[in-house]
């Protein structure tokens, strides 16, 4: 139960932490930020409980058992056996076929998270009121992350990402996707596409497959950098907008498609 409660406190803490981190990352649309944890709280409480139970049974308990066994065998029980032991459950999951495509940093983060939860559980169990200790520690950690994030961004130590303000003249030229498609924006307002869309793209009321043709384009600077928009019309083949993103050194055009709540992005680069 101490492990389950620790995981239930860790979930909103990780969402809050990631919310602050992603504010500095390049993105085609504004980030939700750490405030998303408030909207996600009901889902985390409902859907997080079975996840916490599963992780406890398959991850935390085996980690603590293995760490205890290693400590007794070596004659020196110590906290650092816990992060060592946590690598085994993570390695077992990582070896499963569906998990082999995950990047190495994902598994490194999983080891760190499992170690932290197991260490907090190991520390809390002997305490007289373990649940109160976990709740107090988790709340304190969330407050610490919130204050630290506000200070880091408020003082300018880390800058929040915003798309570069881009004049229309800098948008003229050839833009490419990663599969051979190109979009040429002429300074006169003429647009030419060749193999523009990826094969998997499905736009509303647009034919599937690749887009070849000529048409026009216009540019709206918008009220903020996030709303800079390039509108391209290529007859029946394409009619839609692109937001401007990337960096001043590497501009990108981003087109949103798919599920509005979790969109995919079709990206062109200069």
């Amino acid at each position: 139960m101490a492990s389950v409660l620790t995981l239930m406190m860790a979930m909103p803490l990780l969402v809050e932490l990631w919310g602050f981190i992603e504010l500095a990352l390049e993105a085609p649309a504004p980030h939700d930020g750490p405030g998303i944890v408030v909207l996600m709280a009901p889902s985390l409480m409902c859907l997080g409980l079975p996840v916490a139970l599963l992780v406890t049974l398959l991850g935390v308990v085996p980690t603590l058992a293995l760490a205890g066994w290693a400590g007794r065998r070596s004659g020196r029980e110590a906290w650092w056996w816990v992060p060592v032991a946590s690598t085994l459950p993570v390695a077992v999951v990582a070896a499963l076929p569906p998990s082999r495509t995950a990047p190495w940093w994902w598994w490194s983060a999983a080891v760190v998270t499992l170690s932290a939860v197991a260490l907090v559980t190991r520390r809390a169990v002997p305490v007289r009121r373990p649940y109160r200790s976990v709740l107090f520690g988790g709340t304190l950690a969330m407050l610490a992350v919130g204050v630290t994030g506000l200070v880091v961004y408020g003082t300018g130590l880390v800058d929040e990402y915003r798309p570069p303000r881009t004049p229309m003249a800098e948008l003229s030229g050839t833009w490419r996707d990663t599969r051979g498609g190109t979009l040429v924006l002429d300074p006169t307002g003429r647009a030419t596409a060749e193999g523009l869309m990826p094969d998997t793209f499905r736009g509303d009321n647009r034919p599937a497959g690749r887009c070849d043709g000529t048409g026009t384009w216009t540019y709206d600077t918008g009220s903020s950098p996030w709303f800079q928009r390039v509108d391209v019309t290529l007859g029946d083949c394409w009619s839609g907008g692109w937001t401007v993103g990337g960096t001043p050194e590497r501009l990108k055009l981003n087109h949103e498609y798919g599920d509005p709540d979790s969109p995919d992005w079709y990206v062109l680069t200069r």
Side-chain angles (χ1 to χ4, degrees), residues 58-85:
L58 301 182
V60 178
V61 171
T63 294
L64 291 176
L66 183 59
W69 175 84
R72 290 189 297 272
R73 290 283 294 181
S74 66
R76 185 182 177 185
E77 292 195 38
W79 68 267
W80 44 261
W81 281 116
V82 173
V84 172

Side-chain angles (χ1 to χ4, degrees), residues 6 9 11 30 32 60 64-65 73 96-97 103 125 131 144 147 149 207 222 244-245 248 259 268:
T6 300
M9 295 297 292
M11 290 178 191
D32 294 317
V60 178
L64 291 176
R73 290 283 294 181
L96 299 176
V125 167
Y131 308 135
V147 171
V244 180
D259 185 355
L268 304 179

Side-chain angles (χ1 to χ4, degrees), residues 111-135:
V111 170
V112 171
T113 303
L114 180 57
S115 299
V117 172
L119 285 170
V120 171
T121 303
R122 179 177 181 271
R123 175 80 174 178
V125 167
V127 177
R128 183 179 179 183
R129 295 186 176 91
Y131 308 135
R132 182 180 298 180
S133 299
V134 172
L135 285 171

Side-chain angles (χ1 to χ4, degrees), residues 1 11 24 34 49 106 161 169 183 187 210 233-234 259:
M1 290 303 297
M11 290 178 191
L49 181 59
W106 198 96
Y161 170 78
L183 174 65
R210 312 294 278 182
T233 301
L234 299 167
D259 185 355

Side-chain angles (χ1 to χ4, degrees), residues 1 17 21 23 33 40-41 45 57 83 96 101 109 132 135 143 154 157 160 165 182 194-195 212 223 235 253 256 262:
M1 290 303 297
L17 179 61
I21 292 174
L23 287 177
M40 292 183 64
M45 293 300 102
L57 294 175
L96 299 176
T101 57
R132 182 180 298 180
L135 285 171
L143 289 174
L157 187 62
E160 183 178 346
R165 270 292 187 185
T182 61
E194 183 177 343
D212 301 280
S223 58
L253 295 181
E256 178 182 345
S262 181

